[in-house]
Structures are given as C-alpha cells and as structure tokens.
Amino acid sequence: MTEKYKNLPLWIGMAAAVLIIIFGIFNIVNSAGKYDKGDSEYEKVREMAVSVNTVEDDSKTAEENEIMPPITVDLAALKNQNPDTVGWIYYPAANINYPVMQGADNDYYLTHTYQGENDIFGSIFMDMNASCDFTDDHTLVYGHNTKNGSMFGALKNIRENNMAGENPYIWLILENGSFRYQIFSWYDAKTTDDSFKTSFDTTQEKQAFIDHITELAEEKLDVKVGADDKILTLSTCTSDSSVRFIVHGVLID
C-alpha cells in the first residue's frame, strides 16, 4: 500500500463513526419532537374536556368526599370528536390522565392518537374484545412505555418509594359514572401468562386467576380481592418483547 492510501482505513472508520453519531443525534431529536407533538395534542384535549374538582361538598361526609372523582370529564365532547372514546383514566402519581379508546383491533391505537394522528405516542386503549362499560370480570387497558414518562411510561415507578401505598387509587370516568380501583398487584409477566385471561367459566376458575395474580405481586398489599370482584389491568411493554409490566386494580366503588 502506498503512503497515499496508508491511512485510508483509519479515515473511513472515523467517517463512519461520525455518521453514526450524527444519525443517533438525529433520532434522539426526531423522537423528542414526536413526543412533544403527542404531549401537545393530549394537553389540548385536557384543556377542552377536563376540569379539576377542588372544592369538597359540605353536605357530604369525609368518606363520601374521598370517593368523589378528583376530576370531571366532558365525555360527550370527547365522543363527539372521536366515537371510539370509551372513558377517561386518571392516576396522576404516574402521569396518567388520558382518554381511553377502543378500536376494531388492538393495533390501530398503538400508533394513532385520540385525534387519529399517526404517531409513535399512540393512545391509551382498552382491549378490542372488552365491554366498553368495563363490566367484564377482567378488563385490559394498554399504553406505551414511553421514555419521557407519558402514557404508561411512568407506571413502572410504582416499584419505588411506596407509590401505591400513598397513591392507591386509579380512577375511570365513564358516561354512566366514575369508578375507583385500588391497586393490589404489579409485576412483569410473559404475554402468554394467565394474567391476561379475561373470561372465566366458573367461580373457581376466576378465584384461581385472582390467586395467581396476587401470588405474583412484587409487593404484598393488604387489599382483599375475591372472585366476585371486577379487575382492571394496566399493561405496558418492556425491553423484552415477550414480557409486559402490568398493574392490577380491584373495583371498590
């Protein structure tokens, strides 16, 4: 090799490294822009449809005030814009404050926002086979595990700092009322696990499901759950495509 071409491999390698760095920076900036776009859309949705209930009703007891939903949601306005809206989910400890969608399949709202925009942000959505009024024995709700903590991205923080102990309730606001679920279990589960089973032929089968998801809990909480109870499960992806992080709540009022 002549002196002219002696350092050619080195220069090629350096050029390739620079291109990789530039590509990485572009992807980071591009992803951040997409997250900002999704965040902006949902903030506008909140401004349109959600108001915070800050004043207690003096005619009610402290317990009655506690079970009043912390927010009021204009679901009629939301459904007018998108009939796929089935409710609103609220768990501020994990930055969850979103409309809940239900599509004809479980793919559309993975990549589409409430307003139908094609976006990696996606939506919070319930399983396509679930009853839209959340009356099933077990209802699954999905959301992305985003890097910026939006959607279900902050849900995994439930593992830290007694978050569930201090913030035990997930709220669902539906057309026929508001429903409060108490968190009782969370863990990583294979997508093939019985944790995702949603229908049961017998009471014994339902009880076996309850025992299973309670036993898998990473932290044992003093929450009573029985075969007659309604279960809400929030599911989000992990770094392993065959594993989901899931949080279970039991309907209490």
Side-chain angles (χ1 to χ4, degrees), residues 136-152:
D136 296 334
D137 282 339
H138 180 207
T139 301
L140 293 168
V141 174
Y142 310 107
H144 280 304
N145 180 11
T146 60
K147 293 181 180 180
N148 71 343
S150 57
M151 309 309 282
F152 283 175

Side-chain angles (χ1 to χ4, degrees), residues 39-53:
D39 280 333
S40 177
E41 175 183 321
Y42 283 109
E43 188 56 39
K44 290 178 181 178
V45 173
R46 294 184 196 103
E47 291 174 358
M48 175 192 73
V50 180
S51 57
V52 178
N53 301 332

Side-chain angles (χ1 to χ4, degrees), residues 1 5-18:
M1 179 179 295
Y5 298 105
K6 183 177 180 179
N7 295 321
L8 184 59
L10 176 62
W11 287 110
I12 291 175
M14 292 176 64
V18 170

